[in-house]
């Protein structure tokens, strides 16, 4: 007897219908790079996988007015190859370049990364940095949830059985804004993040910070924008001292939530450095 | 369930359970045992194959996901006369092969890289091999072999 059944959905409507089936506990399957590792280690809690990886509506990458729309079944490789995303979502492209090796990047999807809910997920800090909404469908209807609110804790999401993330949308950042992503792993490639930072920012014509986003990943039990750091940047002129102070503030904010743990000695210095480096990349004006 | 796919240019239809991986389908149902199982969790790349033009770990693909796809395995990489192609020949010449278990995956990763980036830098070659582990060679000779192949193909 097979452990589970497989069915390929051709449209979002069909996938939602299959996932809502009460006779057969079903879970979405996209790139399989998390699901297949899990079934290897523990018996599946589902009876059927609904393959959503080839649903055309979930593969789009396009600009819709002042918003960018990225389908949940878009792979990291497709993100890296997208000229639109390279222009409007550098942090997401940079993060995608650092996911796994080529084979993982070719299969793994953004929707799978978010739905899997790992604290070290590299796709999530960029989405939160971009203020992305996850668009979720089930048989009762559709809703849009800020990505940050979808994640309730390590490997816990607010997704219910039957929910399908169809796509993400985020507003186009202000003119001149730049974003970046920096990752700290145990080796340079195919390593999960010990810590990472997505950051974005823009300067006024007078050279003062008018837009700032700082989102450390793997730092807090619940991922969020570090608004306290963003606020201290607004109105300031970029300088080495400012980047260092912002890094220190990020570490302070992290420790205020996590308390001092075995990893704090390392993470405190590392986060400070990563935030400073990310801000340097975002705000350093090339001549 | 019936899974229909093209493997190394040949159309095949296989009746297989829905919960097996593409790796198992290739090895146990199609007797293509050149593709190796290493870690079985996507970390080592020994099972890498090319699926619709992209490198994938066949241990991370469910067999029915490959339905309708074109797969190239190590058995499908060869010179027109059936012997080793230029990349495989360079692996031999540059001493890139020791125990050999990682080599089918290394060759597939090398071919997949050269398909998209015909003249990669050494750094790009390293990134192209980021998902493939080798415990004998130290990688240097593997990078050398891929670099030499890229240059050789450039000359035509
Ligand atoms: C060797 C290796 C290296 C890795 N390296 C990294 C790394 O560097 N950084 C990183 O962040 N991750 C990494 N990962 C983890 C994984 O590749 C990513 O999390 C990936 O984005 C998962 O996407 P997927 O499409 O493969 O998900 P799947 O395995 O198909 O699904 C994952 C989960 O999400 C659910 N799901 C999938 N799509 C949807 C959807 N549209 N709506 C609702 N639920 C959905 C599934 O039901 C399942 O619970 C690595 C994994 C491996 C095996």
């Amino acid at each position: 007897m097979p452990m589970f059944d497989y069915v390929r959905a051709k449209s979002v409507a069909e996938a939602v219908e299959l996932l809502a089936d009460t006779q057969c506990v079903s879970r979405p399957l996209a790139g399989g790079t998390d699901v297949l590792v899990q079934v290897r280690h523990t018996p599946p809690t589902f009876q059927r996988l609904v393959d959503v990886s080839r649903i055309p509506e979930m593969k789009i990458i396009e600009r819709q007015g002042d918003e960018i729309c990225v389908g949940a079944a878009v792979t990291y490789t497709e993100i890296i190859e997208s000229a639109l995303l390279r222009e409007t979502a550098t942090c997401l492209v940079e993060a995608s370049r650092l996911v796994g090796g080529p084979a993982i990047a070719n299969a793994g999807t953004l929707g799978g990364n978010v739905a899997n809910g790992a604290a070290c997920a590299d796709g999530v800090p960029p989405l939160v940095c971009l203020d992305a909404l996850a668009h979720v469908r089930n048989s009762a209807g559709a809703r849009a949830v800020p990505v940050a609110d979808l994640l309730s804790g390590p490997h816990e999401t607010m997704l219910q059985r039957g929910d399908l993330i169809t796509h993400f949308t985020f507003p186009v950042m202000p003119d001149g804004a730049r974003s970046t992503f920096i990752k700290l792993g145990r080796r340079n490639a195919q390593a999960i993040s010990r810590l990472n930072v997505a950051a974005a920012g823009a300067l006024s014509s007078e050279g003062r910070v008018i837009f700032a986003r700082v989102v450390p990943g793997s730092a807090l039990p619940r991922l969020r924008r570090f608004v306290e750091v963003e606020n201290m940047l607004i109105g300031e002129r970029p300088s080495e001292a400012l980047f260092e102070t912002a890094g220190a503030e990020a570490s302070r904010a992290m420790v205020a939530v996590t308390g001092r743990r075995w990893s704090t000695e390392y993470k405190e210095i590392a986060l400070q450095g990563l935030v400073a480096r990310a801000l340097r990349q975002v705000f350093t004006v090339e001549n | 369930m019936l899974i229909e796919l093209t493997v190394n240019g040949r159309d095949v239809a296989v009746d297989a359970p829905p919960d097996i991986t593409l790796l198992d389908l290739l090895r146990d149902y199609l007797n293509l045992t050149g593709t190796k199982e290493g870690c079985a969790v996507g970390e080592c790349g020994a099972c890498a194959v090319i699926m619709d033009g992209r490198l994938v770990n066949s241990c991370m693909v469910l067999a029915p996901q490959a339905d309708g796809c074109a797969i190239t395995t190590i058995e499908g990489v060869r010179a027109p006369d059936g012997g080793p192609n230029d990349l495989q020949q360079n692996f031999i010449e540059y001493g890139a092969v020791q125990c050999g278990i990682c080599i089918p995956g290394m060759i597939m990763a090398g071919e997949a890289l050269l398909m998209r980036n015909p003249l990669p830098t050494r750094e790009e070659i390293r990134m192209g091999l980021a998902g493939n582990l080798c415990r004998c060679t130290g990688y240097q000779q593997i990078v050398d072999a891929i670099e030499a192949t890229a240059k050789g193909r450039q000359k035509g």
Side-chain angles (χ1 to χ4, degrees), chain A residues 57-74:
Chain A
E57 305 141 85
M58 289 174 63
K59 299 289 291 177
I60 53 170
I61 302 177
E62 63 186 28
R63 187 176 177 144
Q64 299 169 346
D66 288 339
E67 284 195 333
I68 307 292
C69 172
V70 182
V74 166

Side-chain angles (χ1 to χ4, degrees), chain A residues 27-28 30-35 76 99-100 109 112-113 115 121-122 165 183, chain B residues 41-42:
Chain A
R27 275 253 300 269
T33 60
D34 281 319
V35 170
Y76 297 107
V99 170
T109 66
N113 198 234
D122 286 318
I165 307 174
K183 166 168 170 174
Chain B
V41 287

Side-chain angles (χ1 to χ4, degrees), chain A residues 2-6 8 29-33 36-37 40-41 49 51 53-54 77 81 101-104 106 187 189-190, chain B residues 1 17-19 37 40-43 51 54-57 59-62 64-67 69 116 127-128 130-131 133:
Chain A
M3 286 191 297
F4 52 82
D5 203 0
Y6 166 94
R8 189 182 293 178
L29 171 71
T33 60
L36 288 190
V37 174
R40 192 94 204 163
H41 295 307
L49 287 174
D51 187 351
S53 66
R54 268 171 268 197
T77 301
E81 290 175 352
I104 299 295
N106 286 339
R187 59 193 275 261
Q190 188 147 311
Chain B
M1 66 191 293
D19 63 340
E37 179 175 85
V41 287
E43 297 278 351
M51 178 164 147
R54 304 258 197 211
L55 189 75
V56 295
N57 291 324
C59 76
M60 305 255 85
V61 177
L62 220 47
Q65 281 187 295
D67 185 83
C69 294
R116 284 179 189 271
M127 291 311 283
L133 298 184

